[in-house]
Amino acid sequence: MTPVLVAVTAGYLLGSVPVAVLVGRLHGFDPRAAGDRNPGFWNVMELLGWRAAVPVFAGDLLKGTAAGLVGLVAGGTETGPLWVVDGASVLPVYAAVAAAMAGHAWPVFAGWRGGRSILTFAGGFAVICPPAFGLGLALLVGVSLARGSFAWGTRVAVFSLPVLQLLFMPPALVAATGGLMCLIGLRFGQAALAGRRRGRARRRRVRGPAG
């Protein structure tokens, strides 16, 4: 279990680097207290524009990739055709990516207040199944251009990854990828609940003690 422990520890610490918070501080604000309060690429882009958000996009993506590579090395760098993860490297890589996503969601370096882990997942998936990741990138570009919306391109690309993975890896590992994506769903659910709580708190303040 030593490779898995190494992968999990390194993955969590890499994921905990709060890229969006660091970029926000350079511009004099905390993304956890502005916009939709999500410390990630989309919120920073809405608040500061594309140019300022590029480091967040790259940093969050590379956290997942770096974690996956640590897991790959810890597991003996076993890969199959087209460099898909294989053999003894499968468990450490998946564990490292899961830990990086958890670190991004609940970062030890940023008061446990993190983001939704979408880019960190995508970066880790690039190590799990490079050819499917490449096809996902092609979908991202194609849909973004066809719809005139990067947001639509991102949604289609991310949710297509498990389907594309089926072309290169067995269903059991595709199911494991689905498990990673469940964390993204959990974070969206938590964000929705937090938004409702903030909305109720605002309404109570507006009504006042006599309301």
Side-chain angles (χ1 to χ4, degrees):
M1 294 301 291
T2 300
V4 174
L5 291 175
V6 170
V8 167
T9 303
Y12 179 77
L13 293 175
L14 285 165
S16 288
V17 177
V19 181
V21 175
L22 295 174
V23 170
R25 285 176 181 169
L26 289 176
H27 293 269
F29 78 101
D30 186 339
R32 296 169 299 179
D36 68 2
R37 300 176 186 250
N38 178 52
F41 165 73
W42 290 107
N43 193 28
V44 173
M45 184 185 70
E46 290 291 330
L47 294 167
L48 297 176
W50 276 91
R51 190 168 298 177
V54 166
V56 181
F57 185 95
D60 286 350
L61 192 74
L62 290 174
K63 289 193 300 186
T65 302
L69 289 174
V70 170
L72 186 63
V73 172
T77 323
E78 288 194 42
T79 58
L82 299 175
W83 302 285
V84 300
V85 67
D86 198 9
S89 292
V90 169
L91 182 56
V93 169
Y94 269 94
V97 174
M101 293 174 67
H104 182 82
W106 300 286
V108 67
F109 303 132
W112 315 105
R113 296 169 58 200
R116 294 165 190 165
S117 303
I118 299 171
L119 288 173
T120 303
F121 160 74
F125 186 82
V127 178
I128 292 171
C129 191
F133 179 78
L135 292 175
L137 281 180
L139 268 179
L140 169 64
V141 173
V143 174
S144 296
L145 292 174
R147 292 291 302 254
S149 168
F150 185 70
W152 264 104
T154 301
R155 291 188 192 104
V156 171
V158 169
F159 287 103
S160 71
L161 290 179
V163 178
L164 297 172
Q165 187 183 3
L166 274 172
L167 300 173
F168 308 99
M169 300 181 79
L173 295 184
V174 176
T177 297
L180 294 178
M181 296 181 74
C182 286
L183 177 58
I184 297 173
L186 171 64
R187 293 299 291 154
F188 270 97
Q190 289 179 328
L193 289 174
R196 291 194 189 105
R197 286 195 295 267
R198 288 194 297 269
R200 287 195 294 267
R202 281 195 295 269
R203 288 192 292 273
R204 284 196 295 269
R205 286 196 297 269
V206 169
R207 287 196 299 264

